[in-house]
Amino acid sequence: MKTIDELLAEGVAGKRVFVRADLNVPLDGTTITDDGRIRAVVPTIAKLAEAGARVVVASHLGRPKGAPAPAFSLAPAAARLGELLGAEAAFATDTVGESARAAVAGLADGQVAVIENLRFNAGETSKDDAERGAFADQLAELADLYVGDGFGAVHRKHASVFDLPARLPHYAGYLIATEVGVLKKLTTDVKRPYAVVLGGAKVSDKLGVIDHLLERADRILIGGGMAYTFLKAQGHEVGSSLLQEDQIPAVQEYLRRAEEKGVEFVLPVDVVVAPSFPDLKTKAPAHPTTVAADAMPAGEMGLDNGPETNKLYASKLADAATVFWNGPMGVFEHPDFADGTRAVAQALVDSSAFSVVGGGDSAAAVRILGFDENAFGHISTGGGASLEYLEGKTLPGLAALED
């Protein structure tokens, strides 16, 4: 794929450059609680603006139903982008309508405009090729060139990600080039031992990557809500913990295959439990207790790894040469259940391994818990995209940037 450096060498002064970014940041009302994805795309946008391009930035945010929804407006992200760029970014209140056309027409060389949430138009996510293509045609009228830099969306066959690049000369931005380069280090010529840490809520979200990594990883450490399906598959009581009963046969098969292939599967040996899910707004004390993983009380809910598990996981990461981590170990947003996630992050900081934090909640946790991002090899902006890449899938947004 052609890169932004090739585009800059060709010259962009006066050209309208459509940048498909990922500004899908978490919001508390209109307050951004983690601006990591915005900061990640700033180098691409700033470089284009410095070279005299008229930059049109587009993104999705959340899951609106194909129509405008104020709670999912990109206005806060546009304001924050302007702050990071050191120059206000114009904001269009629609995607391809009068406001968007006026905002783009009003750009001078080196200026930036952000159009409203792409998912306010049903054509963005439509499964109908014609409807999606029609929206891509409208977007194409806003620009002369296309730069794909929204890594967090490249696994989606959406109009702005997949269809639009076919309508304009297209290039990969700095973020996508970096993300792909990092993921190649996790799939080809991997330095060993190769340890993978998987957490988060659901086993079903990670089935494909577990299946693929059983052929590649040396160790797989499991935490988060998905751990309780593994513990149940081993015959243990898991109380009222998150459980996907329908996935137990698949989990048992993975454990069997791991043993057969000599892949070390590491599960919690103790867990932190509470009577119910904690209040994440008030952070009220949740009255947690720690119990052995094979002795969970029937009425309790597992919400974090326990201290012995934290020590065990740190020891399993200490000598790793490569680590991929996706998914928190517990409900890290509450102080009573953040230690497991903090322990994994600290183990990676202390390790000499090339460590990749795989986007989503893991990336947010690293920042929320106060870790220096530079202490990790790479913090990805795309959890789902990273996982699908590691599964060996073809990602539509990357395929669209190939020539």
Side-chain angles (χ1 to χ4, degrees):
M1 63 181 69
K2 290 184 178 179
T3 67
I4 187 174
D5 285 331
E6 292 174 83
L7 172 58
L8 291 167
E10 294 167 7
V12 294
K15 301 283 183 67
R16 299 172 303 163
V17 181
F18 188 103
V19 177
R20 204 324 181 166
D22 181 9
L23 309 181
N24 185 29
V25 292
L27 293 170
D28 182 2
T30 59
T31 301
I32 296 170
T33 57
D34 179 11
D35 67 356
R37 283 177 169 160
I38 302 175
R39 287 187 286 110
V41 79
V42 165
T44 289
I45 295 171
K47 200 72 172 180
L48 289 167
E50 288 169 11
R54 302 178 181 194
V55 186
V56 182
V57 180
S59 176
H60 70 285
L61 192 152
R63 296 180 181 272
K65 306 294 185 180
F72 296 109
S73 175
L74 278 175
R80 180 58 179 148
L81 176 62
E83 292 172 358
L84 292 168
L85 290 170
E88 183 179 359
F91 181 65
T93 57
D94 56 29
T95 56
V96 291
E98 184 178 336
S99 181
R101 291 193 297 270
V104 175
L107 289 174
D109 292 2
Q111 291 186 332
V112 176
V114 179
I115 62 175
E116 186 54 285
N117 191 337
L118 292 163
R119 292 186 183 174
F120 285 2
N121 189 304
E124 170 67 1
T125 60
S126 176
K127 296 189 185 302
D128 181 81
D129 291 348
E131 184 179 11
R132 221 176 45 246
F135 183 47
D137 288 339
Q138 291 178 292
L139 291 172
E141 294 176 5
L142 300 176
D144 307 302
L145 302 160
Y146 178 93
V147 171
D149 215 29
F151 181 75
V154 293
H155 58 313
R156 306 295 188 190
K157 192 176 181 181
H158 291 170
S160 65
V161 175
F162 179 75
D163 301 272
L164 184 56
R167 289 156 168 78
L168 296 170
H170 45 269
Y171 304 80
Y174 291 126
L175 176 60
I176 278 185
T178 298
E179 295 273 14
V180 171
V182 166
L183 288 171
K184 285 181 177 177
K185 292 183 180 181
L186 299 178
T187 53
T188 58
D189 299 321
V190 180
K191 293 183 178 179
R192 298 184 179 280
Y194 179 17
V196 176
V197 186
L198 296 176
K202 296 180 179 180
V203 173
S204 55
D205 292 341
K206 305 290 196 305
L207 288 177
V209 75
I210 293 172
D211 185 70
H212 206 64
L213 288 170
L214 279 172
E215 306 294 331
R216 290 161 178 79
D218 299 302
R219 299 172 195 148
I220 300 177
L221 287 61
I222 301 292
M226 63 186 287
Y228 302 101
T229 300
F230 277 87
L231 292 171
K232 185 71 171 181
Q234 292 185 325
H236 303 310
E237 169 67 53
V238 296
S240 58
S241 306
L242 186 62
L243 174 65
Q244 288 185 288
E245 294 239 24
D246 61 323
Q247 300 300 332
I248 288 176
V251 165
Q252 290 172 330
E253 175 62 14
Y254 287 145
L255 291 170
R256 185 198 65 77
R257 282 176 55 197
E259 184 174 4
E260 182 182 88
K261 293 178 177 296
V263 176
E264 189 177 6
F265 236 107
V266 189
L267 299 175
V269 294
D270 62 345
V271 294
V272 180
V273 300
S276 61
F277 196 83
D279 188 324
L280 300 183
K281 283 196 173 293
T282 66
K283 303 292 195 296
H287 309 293
T289 55
T290 300
V291 299
D294 60 358
M296 290 182 64
E300 297 282 302
M301 176 182 292
L303 295 164
D304 196 15
N305 287 348
E308 293 305 312
T309 300
N310 294 339
K311 292 176 188 175
L312 173 64
Y313 284 19
S315 72
K316 296 296 182 182
L317 297 172
D319 68 340
T322 304
V323 179
F324 174 69
W325 172 29
N326 180 280
M329 299 292 99
V331 186
F332 71 91
E333 301 92 338
H334 192 286
D336 287 345
F337 308 106
D339 286 350
T341 302
R342 183 182 290 108
V344 168
Q346 188 62 55
L348 297 189
V349 169
D350 294 340
S351 167
S352 60
F354 174 67
S355 57
V356 178
V357 181
D361 287 339
S362 311
V366 162
R367 290 186 278 266
I368 290 170
L369 296 176
F371 287 90
D372 181 356
E373 294 179 51
N374 295 321
F376 302 86
H378 179 68
I379 296 181
S380 178
T381 57
S386 296
L387 289 175
E388 291 198 16
Y389 189 100
L390 292 180
E391 287 177 42
K393 291 184 177 180
T394 296
L395 306 189
L398 297 184
L401 295 176
E402 298 287 353
D403 291 310

